[in-house]
Amino acid sequence: MTETATTTEKLNKFEKFKAEKDGLAVKDEIAQFAQIGWEAMDENDLNHRLKWLGVFFRPVTPGKFMMRMRIPNGILNSSQLSVLADVIQRYGDDGSADITTRQNIQLRGINFTDIPEIFNKFNTVGLTTIQSGMDNIRNITGDPVAGLDANELYDTRELVQQIQNMLTHNGQGNPEFSNLPRKFNIAITGGRDNSVHAEINDLAFVPAFKEGFGFNVLVGGFFSGKRCEAAIPLNVWVKPKEVVSLCKTIVEIFRDYGLRANRQKARLMWLIDEWGLEKFRNEVEKHWGKTFVTAAPKDEIEWEKRDHIGIYPQKQPGLNYVGLNIPVGRLYADDMFELARLAEVYGSGEIRFTVEQNAIIPNIPDSALNTFLTEPLLERFGVNPGLLMRSLVSCTGAQFCNFALIETKNQGLAMTKALESQLILSKPVRIHWTGCPNSCGQPQVADIGLMGTKVRKNGKTVEGVDIYMGGKVGKDAQLGTCVQKSVPCEDLQPILRDLLIHNFGAKLREEALIPH
Ligand code: SRM
Ligand code: SF4
């Protein structure tokens, strides 16, 4: 870290505890922690530093920990998925997993004393949780159909893996990048539909032609309780082989010059504001050591965003990928074993995840499709779900997250079922639930975004939402904004019904029994 960051600014309490002991230091202490038990741990180790290992103490369920994986480009093999299933299976009803809005998996119900053994298991199948929380780089997202889609411009898998390897020292932990001012999100898209929400990442690469194929670079996108911004063009175009080194340089600039005084003003965009885009660009160029090529005048994001639910032919003749709708991303051990089995029996053993919290099984031959579609798991994780269910996204919410102002996943599911029973829809409508202004459920990219809040009703404080609309994804992506504040959840159903009728062409089912 440079002098700029440490000596000229007052440190907030997070910076202080990071300066006292680096988060990654707990890697060598985890066996000892497991012996003494979490109750005896230092408060900062328990609540914060464990997150450098992807281990999250959950104040809502003390003693039942969450583990956040890293799944580059959202791709696992069946052995890896079976290990994840095996880990949660032993916790009975407490054991569950969620597909996250960053193509990733979080495991729940983990007993603290089991963690060293769980890490050993992860090692045997090449899985890592390292640096997946707190002031680290989050799971790096890429096209979920990379290498399968006949129309893709670039297969992002290798690049995403290389960036993760560089930043995490091949999953072992990298002290070079373990003390960033704040979290940092990276996405690369090689397809034409912006499948990763490039615009909401601190650093994103979108396909564009200039001196051949390459990427235009976007910087500074983020959501937070205080401020939400779409990423802005850096006016730089890079070749694929330059992506990893540019990533490294930009993360180093963020690490060394990012603002650390106020945690609410520490994401990359605040540094860009402080310096101005021109200075930021010049500094990156200077540190990168090569002259920038200016951005291609247009990028190649030309399509509406696809959700990948259903059956699609791959570029490999005779093979298909099948997108399964996993309602609100929630999985249990048996589901995961079964998904792994289906991937083995019908595909190539690979399973992929999307930022919409769904799963894809690729490489299913034409000849196996009909039998695949009769598998019982597909009755719950369908290829042709309702037009609201297929696009429903929800953050963790109050069940496990102590920031939450409302319960999200169960409420989202119940609301979706109720609305689908009342309405006939002609197209999918993307409804995103998020339990608080941190916006993990990305309400600003949704057709209808619901952000948890507390509302006064009849003299009582009740769960409510602020309603966002206007989020556009894919080509010409733009962030939605708040259109109605403080709607009690108990009054929400008729409001959503009206929005769907008036704004999205839904029609009332004649036979629908509408509660008044
Ligand atoms: Fe998030 C914090 C869950 C994607 C913005 N997020 C949290 C914590 C870790 C808070 C906590 O310790 O309890 C949540 C863990 C709850 C739990 O038990 O699951 C949490 N965030 C999630 C996940 C699991 C939501 C989901 O159900 O999918 C997503 C995990 C992604 C992953 O695999 O790494 C998740 N979080 C996001 C996104 C969406 C994205 O990345 O596209 C955002 C907005 C985009 C962004 O970051 O710019 C997001 N999470 C936040 C923030 C606000 C950041 C800020 O700058 O202020 C916080 C709070 C914080 O960091 O202080 C937060
Ligand atoms: Fe928790 Fe809020 Fe993020 Fe939902 S949006 S997971 S409630 S921090």
Side-chain angles (χ1 to χ4, degrees), residues 395-398 401-406 408 434-441:
C395 83
T396 304
C401 179
N402 55 307
F403 286 114
L405 300 169
I406 63 169
T408 50
T434 208
C436 81
N438 283 330
S439 298
C440 306

Side-chain angles (χ1 to χ4, degrees), residues 137 167 177 180 184 247-255:
I137 315 278
L167 292 167
F177 300 112
L180 304 179
F184 194 90
C247 263
K248 183 164 187 276
T249 304
I250 291 180
V251 177
E252 283 167 351
I253 296 266
F254 179 56
R255 176 194 66 196

Side-chain angles (χ1 to χ4, degrees), residues 292-305:
F292 277 150
V293 175
T294 55
K298 75 177 234 334
D299 62 38
E300 298 300 318
I301 307 240
E302 287 177 337
W303 289 7
E304 293 296 307
K305 190 170 188 309

